[in-house]
Amino acid sequence: MRAIDTNALVRLIARDDAAQVARAEKAIEKGAWVSLLVLVETVWVLDAVYARTPKQIALAVEMLLNHAQLSIQDAQLAARALEHFRAYPKLGFSDCLILEIARQSGHIPLATFDRKLGDLDGAERI
C-alpha cells in the first residue's frame, strides 16, 4: 500500500483544484496509508490556511478515519484524540494526539504548561 502526503490529503478534503483532486483520488484508489504526522499537518493546514472551524476540522478527521481507501496509522489512537478534540476544541488536535500517544506508550502523566491540556485526565500542569 502506498502512503499519501499532506498536500494530497488536503486536496481530497478541500477539493479546491479539480486536476489535483482527480490525481489524488486516483492515487488512493487501491488504498493509501496516512501517517499520524501527515494527519497532524493536514489539521494544521485546514486551520491555518483554510481557516476551518474546530467543528469542521473534527468532521474532516472523522471522514478520514472512516474513508474506505485510507488507512490511518494507529486509527484507534487518532479516534481517541478526536474525542478529546471534540470535547475541548481550543486544545487543538495535535495536543489531544500527544496526550493519547503518551497514554498508549505508558508515559502518563504528560507534563505540560498548557492550562487546558493540564486539566485532562492523564496530563499534569507543571
Side-chain angles (χ1 to χ4, degrees):
M1 177 180 298
R2 71 172 43 183
I4 188 169
D5 81 349
T6 304
N7 294 327
L9 199 57
V10 168
R11 291 291 81 70
L12 291 171
I13 297 166
R15 310 195 76 73
D16 57 351
D17 181 315
Q20 288 187 357
V21 169
R23 288 171 36 210
E25 286 177 343
K26 181 150 181 62
I28 68 165
E29 278 178 349
K30 295 179 183 173
W33 180 80
V34 179
S35 72
L36 290 176
L37 182 56
V38 167
L39 183 61
V40 168
E41 284 186 338
T42 298
V43 166
W44 182 86
V45 169
L46 293 175
D47 178 33
V49 177
Y50 290 88
R52 296 297 193 254
T53 66
K55 187 174 182 178
Q56 291 170 319
I57 291 169
L59 180 59
V61 171
E62 179 181 7
M63 290 171 65
L64 294 173
L65 286 167
N66 293 318
H67 196 287
Q69 277 76 39
L70 297 177
S71 177
I72 308 295
Q73 176 187 4
D74 215 334
Q76 291 179 347
L77 186 144
R80 288 192 307 271
L82 178 59
E83 288 176 26
H84 286 306
F85 178 61
R86 280 196 160 127
Y88 307 97
K90 292 189 180 195
L91 278 178
F93 181 76
S94 61
D95 283 338
C96 297
L97 189 59
I98 289 166
L99 176 60
E100 287 308 311
I101 290 170
R103 185 186 321 279
Q104 181 171 297
S105 300
H107 299 291
I108 294 294
L110 171 67
T112 183
F113 288 113
D114 187 305
R115 289 182 187 135
K116 293 187 185 314
L117 181 58
D119 289 340
L120 292 183
D121 179 46
E124 173 184 59
R125 265 189 281 169
I126 57 171

